[in-house]
Amino acid sequence: MPAHAVSRVPSGGDGPGAAVLRLDGEWRFQLLPSPEAPLADHWARTAVPGCWTMQDFEDIHGVNDLPWYTNVQMPWPAPPPHVPSANPTGVYERAITVPAEWAGRRIVLHVGAAESVLLVRVGGEDVGIGKDSHLASEFDVTDAVRPGEPTVIRLTVVKWSDASFVEDQDQWWHGGITRSVYLYATDPQLYLEDVHVAEASADGSLRVDIRVRASADNGVLPEGWHISGHLDGIGELGPDTAYAEANEADERVSDWLGLARISARVPYVRTWSAETPELYGLTVRLHRADGAVVDQAAYRIGFRTVEILGRNLLVNGVRVLIRGVNRHDFDPLTGRVIDPADMRADLETAKRFGFNAIRTSHYPNDPALLDLADELGLYVVDEADIETHDHAHELADDPRYLAAFVDRVSRMVLRDKNHASVIMWSLGNESDYGVNHDAAAGWVRGYDPTRPPHYEGAVKIDWATAGMAVSDVVCPMYSSIGDIVAHAESGTQTRPLIMCEYSHAMGNSNGTLAEYWSAIESTPGLQGGFIWEFRDHGILQRLADGRPAGPCAPPSTDGVAPPGHRWAYGGDFGEVPNDGVFCADGIFFPDRTPKPAAYEHREIAAPIRLTHTADGHVRVHNRQDVVGLDRFAATWILAAADGSARALPAELPSLAPGTSADVAVPFELPTTGEAWLTLRVTGDGAEICTPSIRLRTEDRALLARADAQIVDTGVIELDDAGLLVHPLLAAAPTLSLWRAPTDNDVLGGMAERWRKWGLEAPARTLVAITREGPRTIVRSEYATEAGPVAHEQVLTPLHGGGVLIEETAMLPGRLDDVARVGSVFETAARHTEAAWFGTGPWETYPDRAMAPVGRHRSTIDALFTPYLRPQESGGRNGVRWIALSEADDDAPGLTIHLDAPRQVSVTRYRAADLARTAHHDELVPLPDRCVVHLDAAHRGLGTASCGPDTLPEYRIAPGVHRWSWTIR
Ligand code: GAL
Ligand code: MG
């Protein structure tokens, strides 16, 4: 049946129009090795919806079909449309008894989504076939079921088909029925075929176009009908026109299509936007001639206008910035079966971290997701289920795939058109550009002129002129800041530029996000983008048998898989070929725990920002597009580098969007030293953002006070290699130039360069030890393939047993891009707690450091971020001092003061151990010590795993580096 927007479940489910029989639950099941294989006599059982690749069931035929991850490459080599002979095929069967009262009614089978080809047999009769793994298929089964008597429904789902070539998205391949299955019944002759909210605009205009199907029973048509409508808070709506057209395909008139329209003008309409998700309940009723309601449909609609004016995308006339994130239907326990509560949690989490937009990468999501986006307020780029990545160039022009392109796009639009949240239609992803796209875009433009079409593949070769027929926005992926700004300033830009993907969140990443946003906010023509992507696609896997753990697994905590489990990525199920850890690229962990980068985004997207004024006041800005600050509460916090902090409730000024007001600094500053002011903003009980500004800079070197503590008579103890021996240390400070490569370092090629240079463990040679008064000078050399690095430590004893360490490293010219320059040492005690003054509390790096400066504390374990594949982790940027201690005993603590704000990390792992471990759960913490890095320079993170490397200003130049610190 054609796609439509008349939902029978859940909103319209119990109305007078339709009765619903839900078929979710246990079904008989056999997984066959291929569609041709014979069925066994014996059946297993499994739950619907469910991915068989994720479920435990009796595998009668020994198919053992597990999740399979590939990015671009198809899992088999044959070209389209050929499929491999090994083709897992799930056969689901269930005997159902349709209520006897359904006799004489029209009965429809709805299969929410099946991956990938669905074949339907009801009562032994073949009823139909469906494709598109992410849209519903409906079948009229009136003639195949006998109400009151048992009928067998068989759903056969074939994994690989010609359609797999258009579903070649970068994600796990699964098989199964992934959304709900149900039957519904309507009047046999008269029912709503579709309802199209064709206009619900910001000025209150409403137009609803309704298609009514009226069919003859033994040649007799229903005797007349009419439509009525109701809008909550407004009242009854009358139809403008109701007319019918006969469809005389054969001489016996059997089918009528009736068209009706409801128009209204809502006075003082409350417009919908991501910041004001105002919805109105709309009910459309279909009446018989006698007035009785025979069918009805209910919607929650929003009044809003989306338009493109020059280089701006406007919502209700306002240029809104798109702070988006790409979201897949993903669940670590079920694969692709997503419950509404999970969808809500995804969207609420996204909003809480400053996102106001979702791209449904790369296929239509469950319609419930759009209900939630309407309700919670998120702009949606709704994307059709088309990605031909491995064969993109061929298929975009292949007439054999023309119908697939047009079907997939048009069926999505037919289904989702009534959602206020949908502001653009995306024709798919990474499928090159060809006439099949032109055809799909033509359909979209004709059917729904109210929303711009969006398609990256068409614009990628030339932003100024390419793809005008199919994309009204320039929506590139992973463009550099330089490129987008240059385009906006070139004078050739004709369309809004909104990146469909940027800032690849793989592992420890999202460097330079703040620079993207300062470019976007200061350059007309740039309007935001969608981070890649929402969650890491790590599947929870049992270590005991290597199978997906499933919904009964013990819970994960803070992003870490429960004991006996791990987050599996490509290859972990033994699949070949695979694309490894490339699927773990979310700004949230598989269990939705935010990564530090999510906080970075939250602060960049902060609705309230602070700046300085010339006269020493603080300027408070409302950075929102539509609303004031009324929903927020806030607290001022003053932090001083001596560790003291004061807090006061804040009175937020009343500010229209885009405006600011100056307020006096609410504290008296301490007499000396650095001081920072943070505004901790909350809304609905949750922390929204913590903008922070410096009120006073340190007025003297951070370490100056150390001078006063030098003891002339103290002795620095060294071992034979000239390394410091000290009771607080298990391993002396040495020079470190390397970090455990991040995914960006690996895929961007830096890790390989560092390996060739021999940076991981360069051999150290002692050159000289000299003693000058209290100072001991140790000169050494580290041998790299790019030449020797000279290193000098000047060690001076301090009162109370501390040491001042002043270091210099000289990098030869060829070492022009190292990971870090700094000290690494290991503590003699297993400290458990850390307190520091610097950015925090979350992990920060030089190019990802949007975090309040102040005194923070954490357990040492919690400093470490459990990236799925271990890598550099746990750093804090801008640290002035850090103290390590033990929670529960009085073992001596350890305090480090730095000469300047520095990048610091304290972990239980050596970089080399991180680098050689494939999964977080395989890491073995050092039992008796901490590993401390203090960096004079640390390379930014960038996003080179897919996109630009870190900017030159965050790379490390060769030459002389100096830093000093005290330990006590
Ligand atoms: C894009 C693509 C996404 C994903 C991403 C990298 O090119 O559209 O599906 O593959 O790169 O993670
Ligand atoms: Mg792809």
Side-chain angles (χ1 to χ4, degrees):
M1 290 175 44
H4 57 81
V6 181
S7 166
R8 308 296 180 171
V9 169
S11 45
D14 302 319
V20 174
L21 183 65
R22 291 176 178 273
L23 301 179
D24 289 352
E26 198 177 83
W27 286 55
R28 291 197 288 273
F29 183 62
Q30 292 192 36
L31 183 61
L32 303 178
S34 74
E36 299 82 18
L39 283 167
D41 297 337
H42 165 69
W43 289 84
R45 307 204 153 255
T46 200
V48 170
C51 292
W52 69 64
T53 39
M54 297 290 290
Q55 291 169 315
D56 280 322
F57 57 89
E58 188 192 347
D59 191 2
I60 299 166
H61 303 268
V63 179
N64 193 31
D65 191 32
L66 291 171
W68 189 339
Y69 170 59
T70 62
N71 172 12
V72 177
Q73 59 186 329
M74 291 294 289
W76 69 88
H82 301 287
V83 296
S85 51
N87 191 357
T89 299
V91 183
Y92 298 80
E93 248 192 34
R94 180 165 172 174
I96 52 139
T97 304
V98 164
E101 314 86 84
W102 287 20
R105 307 196 75 188
R106 164 182 164 264
I107 302 173
V108 176
L109 172 67
H110 174 104
V111 180
E115 197 158 332
S116 110
V117 175
L118 170 69
L119 303 146
V120 179
R121 203 171 163 83
V122 178
E125 207 181 293
D126 287 327
V127 181
I129 177 169
K131 290 183 185 174
D132 193 330
S133 297
H134 305 278
L135 280 177
S137 297
E138 291 193 337
F139 306 87
D140 187 328
V141 295
T142 313
D143 296 335
V145 294
R146 270 183 306 249
E149 290 173 29
T151 309
V152 173
I153 299 194
R154 177 184 290 182
L155 304 177
T156 301
V157 180
V158 183
K159 184 162 179 175
W160 307 123
S161 74
D162 60 300
S164 306
F165 294 95
V166 275
E167 297 185 0
D168 182 19
Q169 290 98 355
D170 175 6
Q171 62 174 344
W172 295 97
W173 296 95
H174 287 293
I177 296 173
T178 55
R179 294 184 194 147
S180 288
V181 179
Y182 54 87
L183 286 164
Y184 65 84
T186 68
D187 184 89
Q189 287 187 272
L190 197 56
Y191 57 91
L192 291 170
E193 187 179 77
D194 201 3
V195 173
H196 183 184
V197 180
E199 191 182 353
S201 16
D203 67 359
S205 312
L206 174 67
R207 195 183 94 219
V208 186
D209 288 332
I210 299 141
R211 294 164 68 92
V212 171
R213 188 55 69 175
S215 35
D217 183 19
N218 287 323
V220 183
L221 280 161
E223 252 176 45
W225 51 270
H226 62 275
I227 288 289
S228 70
H230 182 90
L231 194 63
D232 289 355
I234 300 298
E236 288 298 304
L237 309 171
D240 282 3
T241 49
Y243 54 96
E245 282 171 358
N247 168 7
E248 292 173 90
D250 54 52
E251 57 262 45
R252 189 171 54 87
V253 175
S254 63
D255 246 351
W256 288 67
L257 173 64
L259 301 175
R261 172 171 294 175
I262 293 173
S263 307
R265 179 75 177 239
V266 177
Y268 307 110
V269 75
R270 298 184 311 272
T271 51
W272 185 97
S273 71
E275 290 175 19
T276 56
E278 296 281 358
L279 296 175
Y280 288 78
L282 169 73
T283 309
V284 173
R285 309 184 203 95
L286 171 61
H287 304 260
R288 288 184 210 285
D290 66 3
V293 175
V294 63
D295 199 359
Q296 72 172 26
Y299 302 89
R300 298 181 74 201
I301 63 166
F303 288 82
R304 52 113 189 90
T305 300
V306 179
E307 64 198 314
I308 288 179
L309 220 59
R311 313 191 280 175
N312 297 319
L313 173 79
L314 307 179
V315 175
N316 306 332
V318 176
R319 177 179 183 267
V320 296
L321 292 178
I322 301 297
R323 303 181 185 277
V325 63
N326 281 279
R327 180 190 170 281
H328 265 286
D329 272 345
F330 169 78
D331 185 281
L333 308 178
T334 65
R336 229 167 345 253
V337 180
I338 322 288
D339 165 308
D342 277 301
M343 292 183 228
R344 180 180 284 277
D346 276 3
L347 297 194
E348 284 177 344
T349 304
K351 281 212 79 152
R352 196 145 48 78
F353 284 86
F355 294 103
N356 69 356
I358 297 280
R359 173 170 173 244
T360 69
S361 57
H362 296 301
Y363 37 79
N365 294 169
D366 190 303
L369 186 109
L370 297 179
D371 290 337
L372 287 163
D374 293 344
E375 175 196 322
L376 299 172
L378 282 149
Y379 302 117
V380 174
V381 171
D382 200 5
E383 188 150 284
D385 186 11
I386 301 174
E387 176 160 345
T388 60
H389 207 157
D390 201 11
H391 297 275
H393 192 61
E394 310 145 53
L395 297 188
D397 286 323
D398 187 334
R400 295 174 300 174
Y401 280 88
L402 168 64
F405 277 62
V406 179
D407 271 358
R408 284 161 185 261
V409 172
S410 63
R411 288 173 68 84
M412 167 184 77
V413 174
L414 286 166
R415 190 194 73 163
D416 295 341
K417 62 202 171 209
N418 296 341
H419 288 279
S421 54
V422 176
I423 60 164
M424 285 189 254
W425 300 118
S426 167
L427 306 183
N429 188 55
E430 298 189 318
S431 302
D432 215 305
Y433 174 39
V435 289
N436 293 346
H437 290 105
D438 290 335
W443 188 92
V444 170
R445 287 191 190 281
Y447 183 81
D448 179 20
T450 72
R451 293 174 178 98
H454 164 290
Y455 180 55
E456 181 270 340
V459 304
K460 67 178 175 200
I461 40 162
D462 165 12
W463 296 348
T465 59
M468 300 305 265
V470 298
S471 195
D472 287 355
V473 287
V474 176
C475 42
M477 42 173 78
Y478 308 109
S479 323
S480 70
I481 298 170
D483 285 352
I484 57 176
V485 170
H487 179 61
E489 290 175 348
S490 66
T492 65
Q493 185 186 6
T494 52
R495 293 170 281 188
L497 193 155
I498 299 170
M499 294 171 284
C500 73
E501 295 177 27
Y502 81 109
S503 198
H504 196 243
M506 183 177 184
N508 191 355
S509 184
N510 304 95
T512 331
L513 197 55
E515 284 79 3
Y516 268 101
W517 276 94
S518 65
I520 291 165
E521 291 182 0
S522 60
T523 313
L526 304 185
Q527 224 179 319
F530 295 80
I531 283 185
W532 187 267
E533 66 174 305
F534 186 65
R535 269 205 251 185
D536 279 343
H537 296 212
I539 289 181
L540 191 67
Q541 183 183 34
R542 277 193 302 261
L543 292 172
D545 61 1
R547 293 189 57 87
C552 301
S556 59
T557 20
D558 300 334
V560 177
H565 295 75
R566 69 176 176 190
W567 299 123
Y569 51 75
D572 287 344
F573 294 103
E575 75 273 26
V576 180
N578 70 73
D579 287 295
V581 75
F582 204 62
C583 60
D585 52 3
I587 195 158
F588 293 84
F589 279 97
D591 66 356
R592 215 185 279 110
T593 297
K595 289 188 184 171
Y599 288 94
E600 174 87 359
H601 183 268
R602 186 188 84 170
E603 296 301 321
I604 290 169
I608 301 182
R609 214 167 278 175
L610 303 181
T611 55
H612 293 282
T613 68
D615 61 354
H617 281 65
V618 175
R619 187 158 294 163
V620 179
H621 303 256
N622 175 3
R623 300 286 310 163
Q624 299 169 103
D625 297 317
V626 186
V627 294
L629 303 181
D630 327 344
R631 74 183 178 99
F632 302 122
T635 310
W636 291 112
I637 298 163
L638 179 77
D642 63 6
S644 64
R646 281 182 280 155
L648 272 179
E651 182 107 17
L652 291 174
S654 157
L655 289 175
T659 66
S660 63
D662 296 351
V663 301
V665 174
F667 297 99
E668 208 161 297
L669 299 196
T671 46
T672 56
E674 197 180 359
W676 285 77
L677 182 67
T678 297
L679 186 66
R680 180 171 182 270
V681 181
T682 54
D684 302 323
E687 190 171 272
I688 302 287
C689 59
T690 51
S692 141
I693 51 169
R694 179 154 55 191
L695 296 179
R696 190 169 54 214
T697 320
E698 176 65 60
D699 44 9
R700 56 202 181 116
L702 280 169
L703 288 183
R705 62 184 79 93
D707 298 340
Q709 295 162 11
I710 293 173
V711 274
D712 292 344
T713 52
V715 179
I716 292 290
E717 196 185 329
L718 299 177
D719 68 10
D720 292 350
L723 295 173
L724 177 66
V725 176
H726 191 279
L728 291 175
L729 301 179
T734 53
L735 178 68
S736 174
L737 302 169
W738 187 74
R739 67 185 177 201
T742 62
D743 293 313
N744 290 332
D745 296 338
V746 173
L747 292 166
M750 285 76 82
E752 178 55 15
R753 210 173 330 137
W754 299 336
R755 196 191 59 75
K756 287 198 180 127
W757 285 340
L759 296 191
E760 176 181 334
R764 174 181 177 278
T765 322
L766 176 63
V767 176
I769 300 175
T770 30
R771 306 235 184 211
E772 291 174 6
R775 294 145 55 89
T776 300
I777 302 153
V778 180
R779 292 203 183 82
S780 59
E781 211 170 78
Y782 288 76
T784 78
E785 293 302 315
V789 178
H791 180 227
E792 181 186 274
Q793 284 179 334
V794 181
L795 304 150
T796 313
L798 302 178
H799 277 297
V803 185
L804 167 65
I805 303 169
E806 296 162 289
E807 308 198 51
T808 311
M810 239 307 267
L811 272 59
R814 277 180 57 212
L815 281 188
D816 59 358
D817 191 7
V818 298
R820 59 160 37 115
V821 178
S823 323
V824 60
F825 62 86
E826 293 173 10
T827 62
R830 190 185 183 281
H831 307 286
T832 55
E833 312 295 310
W836 71 98
F837 193 88
T839 60
W842 56 84
E843 179 194 271
T844 49
Y845 281 85
D847 60 349
R848 204 191 66 210
M850 282 286 287
V853 176
R855 181 181 195 270
H856 301 287
R857 54 190 319 148
S858 163
T859 64
I860 286 170
D861 288 337
L863 289 172
F864 190 81
T865 307
Y867 296 112
L868 268 56
R869 187 189 69 78
Q871 52 197 280
E872 163 63 32
S873 167
R876 297 296 184 279
N877 188 247
V879 174
R880 283 78 165 159
W881 57 258
I882 180 163
L884 310 182
S885 61
E886 260 136 297
D888 48 355
D889 70 18
D890 34 47
L894 178 163
T895 304
I896 292 153
H897 279 89
L898 293 135
D899 58 340
R902 301 283 185 191
Q903 181 77 23
V904 168
S905 73
V906 182
T907 68
R908 304 213 176 282
Y909 311 102
R910 298 186 181 122
D913 294 333
L914 293 174
R916 68 168 140 265
T917 307
H919 297 88
H920 177 76
D921 63 285
E922 295 156 19
L923 284 173
V924 183
L926 293 166
D928 56 352
R929 61 185 68 195
C930 302
V931 179
V932 180
H933 279 274
L934 312 173
D935 294 330
H938 192 106
R939 193 183 198 278
L941 299 167
T943 60
S945 54
C946 187
D949 192 1
T950 196
L951 296 171
E953 55 265 40
Y954 295 111
R955 299 186 207 157
I956 301 174
V960 177
H961 293 262
R962 284 182 220 286
W963 67 107
S964 36
W965 48 288
T966 63
I967 180 169
R968 64 185 82 219

